[in-house]
Amino acid sequence: MQRSSSDHPETGTDTGPGPAEAGDRRSITAAASGKSQRLDRLLAEQINDLSRTRLKALILAGHVSLGDTVVRDPAYQVKAGEAITIEVPPAVDPEPVGENIPLDIVYEDDDIIVLDKQRGLVVHPAAGHENGTLVNALIAHCGASLSGIGGVKRPGIVHRLDKDTTGLMVIAKNDHAHQSLTAQFADHGRTGELRRGYLAFVWGVPARPRGTIDQPIDRHPFAREKMAVRASGRQAITHWEMLESFAGRDGKPLAALLACQLETGRTHQIRVHLSHAGHPLIGDDVYGSGFRTKVNQLAEPAKIAVTTLGRQALHAYLLQIEHPTTGEVLEWQSELPEDLAHLQALLRAAP
């Protein structure tokens, strides 16, 4: 729970706890005594109306300074008595503009677009990612036909993939398609034709060939940017099947390739569920940091592939929907992208 400055006698703030205004300035002074504390954590504790994610974005963008020095490191250890200034810039126009960003479109008609999303592409504008997103690319590609669909910031978006997750997405091009697809994704294939499949490279080899993870997911109690399995969360169900296992240099099982299908659509669901099950995604620094030492058990080529991957090894390979207008059941499959295909080949080659 966020707490106001009055709950923290070790720090003080020159401004009240009211909502941040566009273009306003916040000033905080760390306590004259006490332990040092991470900059982003200290700000999150003192500023109620801005999320930690938003504050981190402000730090990275150079809007936070200590004295006369701009600090761009969220992990900077604030020392006793240091004065912190946060400049909250004016709000960005909520209506995104089109940008010429290449898209890998695998199907398109008057109602929908199905595309194979590349790594590094954020789906919709958010704090720290006001442009350069899939939404900006779609506006440029489709023009006015996307206006107003799904809200100003998410025209045509009925589901999303994480920034560094690759694979298939479907986009609505009009209100009718948007309503139909939204209903299908809300149903999650329980009574309809929707299917979503993911390929996940994970640490460890499951003891069974297939299984189901049925664990509720909620916001992490301490790290706002993370999700976690919590009793207070919403139901989340992931079905998985092991397709392949990989050995380390000693010949012992070390990693596996799983095919996952979602029965619900929670934020970071596959990443959270597999980590909770003891098989975090390879390359996932958020949910799999405790498994970093396993990379040293790989043969050198595979070790290099993992350490240079730079993202979670997750790919949305399967998408099946009922067409919003014709009712036809349509299915698309996507091959592993180059980086994950390369990783798979090197894992197979070991030891």
Side-chain angles (χ1 to χ4, degrees):
M1 177 184 295
Q2 294 281 346
R3 293 173 288 182
S4 68
S5 58
S6 62
D7 295 323
H8 295 270
E10 71 275 13
T11 58
T13 176
D14 295 339
T15 61
E21 298 295 333
D24 74 346
R25 171 181 290 191
R26 302 296 184 91
S27 298
I28 293 173
T29 302
S33 62
K35 296 180 180 179
S36 61
Q37 190 173 1
R38 276 181 62 114
L39 177 58
D40 58 350
R41 187 173 295 130
L42 176 63
L43 295 183
E45 289 179 349
Q46 297 305 306
I47 299 178
N48 298 45
D49 53 308
L50 296 177
S51 70
R52 187 170 175 181
T53 300
R54 172 64 170 150
L55 289 166
K56 182 177 180 180
L58 290 174
I59 295 169
L60 295 172
H63 294 294
V64 177
S65 58
L66 281 79
D68 296 327
T69 303
V70 173
V71 178
R72 296 177 182 267
D73 180 9
Y76 173 84
Q77 293 295 312
V78 180
K79 302 175 182 62
E82 285 191 296
I84 308 165
T85 301
I86 308 98
E87 298 283 353
V88 182
V92 176
D93 185 346
E95 185 170 352
V97 298
E99 297 180 44
N100 187 21
I101 300 171
L103 295 175
D104 183 1
I105 296 174
V106 299
Y107 177 87
E108 182 175 7
D109 60 23
D110 291 339
D111 296 301
I112 62 173
I113 300 173
V114 177
L115 57 89
D116 207 335
K117 189 183 86 67
Q118 63 264 43
R119 63 180 292 180
L121 182 62
V122 175
V123 170
H124 55 77
H129 298 285
E130 285 80 9
N131 48 46
T133 71
L134 175 59
V135 164
N136 298 107
L138 288 169
I139 291 172
H141 178 77
C142 298
S145 67
L146 288 176
S147 297
I149 301 175
V152 176
K153 275 188 173 290
R154 304 187 187 186
I157 303 299
V158 294
H159 69 124
R160 73 184 188 95
L161 298 177
D162 293 337
K163 173 185 175 183
D164 288 321
T165 297
T166 52
L168 295 167
M169 289 186 65
V170 59
I171 310 298
K173 293 180 69 175
N174 54 57
D175 287 334
H176 166 70
H178 188 268
Q179 292 167 7
S180 172
L181 291 172
T182 298
Q184 291 184 54
F185 276 88
D187 181 68
H188 296 293
R190 295 185 181 94
T191 63
E193 300 294 342
L194 181 76
R195 291 177 62 207
R196 288 179 292 163
Y198 295 76
L199 294 175
F201 291 85
V202 302
W203 289 117
V205 178
R208 297 176 295 149
R210 62 184 55 83
T212 296
I213 305 172
D214 185 351
Q215 295 288 343
I217 291 177
D218 202 350
R219 186 69 59 181
H220 193 283
F222 308 116
R224 291 176 57 91
E225 69 278 7
K226 294 176 62 176
M227 307 299 289
V229 168
R230 302 184 68 193
S232 60
R234 300 171 65 190
Q235 184 181 38
I237 301 174
T238 303
H239 306 286
W240 61 268
E241 179 181 0
M242 184 164 61
L243 301 181
E244 195 171 0
S245 63
F246 310 101
R249 289 181 300 176
D250 58 3
K252 296 180 180 179
L254 182 62
L257 172 61
L258 307 182
C260 301
Q261 287 204 26
L262 299 181
E263 193 174 316
T264 54
R266 309 301 174 219
T267 300
H268 298 175
Q269 179 172 319
I270 290 176
R271 298 167 66 186
V272 172
H273 268 174
L274 292 180
S275 178
H276 180 76
H279 299 289
L281 290 168
I282 291 176
D284 193 340
D285 290 336
V286 176
Y287 297 104
S289 59
F291 285 70
R292 288 172 181 164
T293 56
K294 286 192 175 292
V295 73
N296 295 320
Q297 301 175 39
L298 292 169
E300 193 62 25
K303 178 180 178 179
I304 294 172
V306 169
T307 55
T308 59
L309 185 60
R311 67 163 176 127
Q312 65 269 8
L314 184 64
H315 179 67
Y317 83 99
L318 171 68
L319 177 65
Q320 178 179 290
I321 65 167
E322 181 180 311
H323 192 277
T325 299
T326 68
E328 182 183 0
V329 177
L330 302 175
E331 179 185 297
W332 299 270
Q333 294 196 27
S334 168
E335 298 292 331
L336 283 172
E338 183 177 354
D339 59 346
L340 296 187
H342 180 63
L343 173 64
Q344 182 183 39
L346 294 178
L347 289 172
R348 284 173 171 171

